């Protein structure tokens, strides 16, 4: 059932137009009701003083160098990976399938966004999703992502191939994280996603961040109520 639901939901996402200008109306569109009535929606605002302190298993990432295709789908710049390795969440293996960017970061820490955020999207054998969110601050030039941000495609441009990237190379030194259950942050807003927000940000230079802002002024969903959830 989870396989059918996930694939059907992703098919609905492709069949109905949406954009960030009408973000408050997503839930009123056919197939997108979960965006409005869901109880475990993402992103969220993480209040560090309210986080439940517990011993979580470290994130086990076993990423590999992989060929990547970069696309602009009108909502973000996304890099699809042929075989990027995997990560383990809750002792279950999730294959890394793509990563993409949002400005500002969709996740907030104590009410504040970062100028950019990256989502590493993983999928298990049943189609269930797990995401690692990386916060990005302004700082030194990121050499690993240099070719990506120097060649960001405009919407409607042909996919850019020829990239080979190992996601491990731009992860922060520490993989300590906040964990909660949530949803994908775009329509159809399907829930049941394992979210892992890394505490330590990575850096991009001002010019690298600005190169993304030229294409997307904003492509981030507002934070959603936690409801019964505990981070």
């Amino acid at each position: 059932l989870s396989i059918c639901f996930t694939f059907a939901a992703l098919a609905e996402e492709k069949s109905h137009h949406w954009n960030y200008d009408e973000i408050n109306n997503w839930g009123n569109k056919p197939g997108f009701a979960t965006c409005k009535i869901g109880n475990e929606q993402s992103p969220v605002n993480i209040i560090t003083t309210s986080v439940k302190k517990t011993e979580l298993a470290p994130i086990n990432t076993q990423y590999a160098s992989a060929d990547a295709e970069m696309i602009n789908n009108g909502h973000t710049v996304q890099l699809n990976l042929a075989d990027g390795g995997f990560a383990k969440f809750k002792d279950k293996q999730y294959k890394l399938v793509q990563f993409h960017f949002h400005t500002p970061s969709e996740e907030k820490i104590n009410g504040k966004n970062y100028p950019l955020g990256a989502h590493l999207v993983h999928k298990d054998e049943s189609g269930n999703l797990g995401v690692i969110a990386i916060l990005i601050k302004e700082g030194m030039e990121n050499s690993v992502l240099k070719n990506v941000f120097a060649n960001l495609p405009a919407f409607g441009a042909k996919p850019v191939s020829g990239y080979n990237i190992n996601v491990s190379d731009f992860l922060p030194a520490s993989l300590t994280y906040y964990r909660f259950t949530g949803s994908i942050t775009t329509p159809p807003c399907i829930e049941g996603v394992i979210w892992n927000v890394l505490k330590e940000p990575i850096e991009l230079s001002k010019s690298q961040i600005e190169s993304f802002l030229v294409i997307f002024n904003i492509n981030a969903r507002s934070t959603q109520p936690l409801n019964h959830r505990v981070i």
Side-chain angles (χ1 to χ4, degrees):
L1 287 175
S2 61
I3 298 175
C4 294
F5 177 75
T6 300
F7 288 165
L10 294 178
E12 285 179 345
E13 180 182 359
K14 293 180 180 179
S15 64
H16 296 291
H17 174 75
W18 61 271
N19 58 55
Y20 285 98
D21 292 335
E22 53 182 19
I23 195 166
N24 294 323
N25 194 45
W26 285 355
N28 297 322
K29 286 181 170 287
F32 298 165
T34 305
C35 300
K36 185 176 182 179
I37 64 175
N39 289 317
E40 293 188 342
Q41 290 291 289
S42 296
V44 299
N45 177 29
I46 299 172
I47 306 298
T48 55
T49 55
S50 300
V51 169
K52 181 181 178 181
K53 295 183 179 180
T54 187
E55 218 173 289
L56 294 172
I59 295 177
N60 180 358
T61 59
Q62 297 189 34
Y63 297 139
S65 294
D67 291 331
E69 180 184 67
M70 183 163 58
I71 63 170
N72 182 329
N73 59 19
H75 307 303
T76 187
V77 170
Q78 177 173 306
L79 283 92
N80 298 317
L81 303 173
D83 190 6
F86 64 89
K88 284 188 176 180
F89 312 127
K90 298 182 179 180
D91 294 323
K92 196 171 185 179
Q93 186 168 304
Y94 288 73
K95 182 181 179 181
L96 177 64
V97 292
Q98 54 104 331
F99 65 94
H100 61 267
F101 302 94
H102 294 275
T103 183
S105 69
E106 294 195 301
E107 296 73 34
K108 289 183 179 181
I109 306 296
N110 297 322
K112 294 184 178 180
N113 303 93
Y114 280 70
L116 207 63
H119 288 165
L120 314 183
V121 181
H122 306 70
K123 185 183 294 186
D124 73 6
E125 291 181 346
S126 300
N128 301 305
L129 300 177
V131 180
I132 294 178
I134 304 175
L135 303 167
I136 300 173
K137 66 180 181 179
E138 183 180 319
M140 299 290 291
E141 180 182 71
N142 192 305
S143 59
V144 178
L145 295 171
K146 183 175 181 178
N147 287 338
V148 170
F149 281 85
N151 297 284
L152 295 171
F155 180 52
K158 292 182 178 180
V160 182
S161 58
Y163 290 96
N164 187 275
I165 193 164
N166 189 326
V167 169
S168 293
D169 293 339
F170 66 81
L171 292 177
S174 172
L175 297 185
T176 55
Y177 62 98
Y178 301 105
R179 162 74 56 77
F180 59 93
T181 56
S183 71
I184 61 174
T185 63
T186 57
C189 307
I190 56 173
E191 298 183 336
V193 180
I194 299 175
W195 278 90
N196 310 270
V197 180
L198 300 186
K199 293 183 178 181
E200 182 180 338
I202 64 172
E203 294 183 3
L204 263 69
S205 68
K206 182 178 181 181
S207 62
Q208 286 178 315
I209 293 172
E210 288 178 343
S211 67
F212 191 85
L213 297 179
V214 168
I215 302 174
F216 294 101
N217 181 45
I218 181 170
N219 68 331
R221 188 187 191 191
S222 55
T223 54
Q224 304 297 303
L226 269 180
N227 295 320
H228 61 281
R229 290 175 290 174
V230 176
I231 300 175

